[in-house]
Amino acid sequence: MNLIDTHSHIYDEAFDDDRDAVVARAAEAGVATLMLPDIDSSSRERMFDLARKYPGMCLPMLGLHPTSVNDNPHWRDEIDQVERLLHEPPAERIYGIGETGLDLYWSSDFLAEQSEAMRAQIELAIEGDLPVVIHTRSAWEQMISLISDYKSRSLRGIFHAFAADVATYRRLRDCGDFVFGIGGVATFKNSRMEPVLQEIPLEQMVLETDAPYLTPVPFRGRRNESAYVTYVCQKVAEVKGISPDEVAERTTATARRIFRLG
Ligand SMILES: [Zn+2]
């Protein structure tokens, strides 16, 4: 099996004691590539350290997470830093912009700032011909409204940790070249995701863990890791009535297309 975990934060401190073992378990499980979404400057060096240690396997992105915008007085400097790192030669290859997005779960006070930060990052993505990795929590209406502005701008990207309904999927699908990141939530008994998993074609679907968060069944409640993307693959296969191998092959092709992995 050849899987890509399109969203893994295993540079997080939660893996400080056993990160190499976690990478090894991913490889053993057939997860050949781990895409690393950036959060902000506080964890960026750890992300690049991991990418340098596993070149060709752990592939970094650059961006500013919406919850790192909120009451951070320096969020504009953070965006400037992302832009500098994208342009400063000799740059490492950067595979995407993100994660960015809107997160109104903790507070809705920073919608304007999060939107401005997201729009700035979308411009960087378009300019660099990179996919944008989008985080959305308690903000689908605001997200659809924002992303609709880019319909004619040849933007591509991933709605990461997608767990919304069929109607939301259909509205987003028409906003650009977007694919949908399916993770551990799909395995939760109460997720009610079967209809949307049936509807999204594998050509618009990528698999992810969001490790260390959103751990799939049967490990729900424990730390997530990239090897567990196999459980997400299994679930999608069950719902679509096809083999896990076919899900792996076709979602990996989708990920390779969206990240331009050659
Ligand atoms: Zn994430």
Side-chain angles (χ1 to χ4, degrees):
M1 197 170 284
N2 179 11
L3 287 159
I4 297 181
D5 182 357
T6 58
H7 199 107
S8 178
H9 297 283
I10 64 159
Y11 57 85
D12 188 275
E13 282 155 346
F15 299 95
D16 277 356
D17 291 338
D18 63 344
R19 190 169 290 106
D20 291 323
V22 166
V23 173
R25 282 198 291 274
E28 274 162 35
V31 187
T33 310
L34 279 59
M35 306 306 301
L36 310 178
D38 193 13
I39 299 287
D40 59 35
S41 60
S42 70
S43 56
R44 188 163 296 138
E45 262 324 296
R46 276 188 280 123
M47 179 186 72
F48 277 120
D49 285 346
L50 180 66
R52 284 180 200 121
K53 188 162 188 189
Y54 296 98
M57 181 182 187
C58 296
L59 308 181
M61 306 183 215
L62 274 173
L64 183 64
H65 194 284
T67 58
S68 295
V69 173
N70 289 4
D71 51 356
N72 175 1
H74 305 297
W75 72 264
R76 284 191 177 81
D77 298 333
E78 290 269 358
I79 298 280
D80 289 346
Q81 215 177 106
V82 166
E83 186 168 7
R84 258 199 318 280
L85 284 165
L86 279 170
H87 293 312
E88 228 169 49
E92 327 246 353
R93 178 170 168 194
I94 301 300
Y95 289 82
I97 298 295
E99 55 187 293
T100 180
L102 302 176
D103 190 324
L104 306 182
Y105 179 80
W106 305 102
S107 164
S108 53
D109 295 346
F110 306 102
L111 175 62
E113 290 84 354
Q114 290 183 7
S115 299
E116 192 183 330
M118 183 171 173
R119 288 179 188 280
Q121 291 177 82
I122 287 174
E123 292 303 327
L124 293 175
I126 292 171
E127 182 189 316
D129 189 27
L130 292 166
V132 65
V133 172
I134 301 170
H135 166 113
T136 316
R137 196 169 185 199
S138 308
W140 281 116
E141 283 308 315
Q142 294 87 345
M143 179 57 69
I144 290 166
S145 151
L146 189 157
I147 211 73
S148 298
D149 291 346
Y150 298 90
K151 267 184 187 170
S152 59
R153 299 278 315 277
S154 64
L155 179 63
R156 72 179 193 278
I158 299 176
F159 286 104
H160 127 76
F162 188 75
D165 60 8
V166 169
T168 305
Y169 157 69
R170 288 179 183 162
R171 292 169 74 192
L172 292 166
R173 172 188 65 186
D174 299 328
C175 290
D177 182 8
F178 289 110
V179 303
F180 296 80
I182 303 301
V185 175
T187 69
F188 297 176
K189 276 203 172 61
N190 56 355
S191 78
R192 293 190 289 269
M193 280 184 66
E194 274 86 357
V196 80
L197 292 179
Q198 274 159 4
E199 170 125 347
I200 302 175
L202 294 173
E203 288 61 42
Q204 289 172 13
M205 186 187 290
V206 294
L207 306 182
E208 64 170 57
T209 59
D210 203 16
Y213 311 108
L214 298 177
T215 313
V217 174
F219 301 112
R220 189 177 180 180
R222 293 163 51 185
R223 186 189 70 173
N224 200 0
E225 62 176 74
S226 288
Y228 298 167
V229 79
T230 50
Y231 295 96
V232 180
C233 179
Q234 182 72 43
K235 178 67 187 188
V236 171
E238 274 169 36
V239 172
K240 287 194 175 287
I242 56 178
S243 71
D245 280 324
E246 183 176 356
V247 172
E249 188 183 323
R250 290 171 63 192
T251 56
T252 289
T254 304
R256 297 186 75 83
R257 178 180 76 75
I258 210 81
F259 285 109
R260 305 281 194 263
L261 297 181

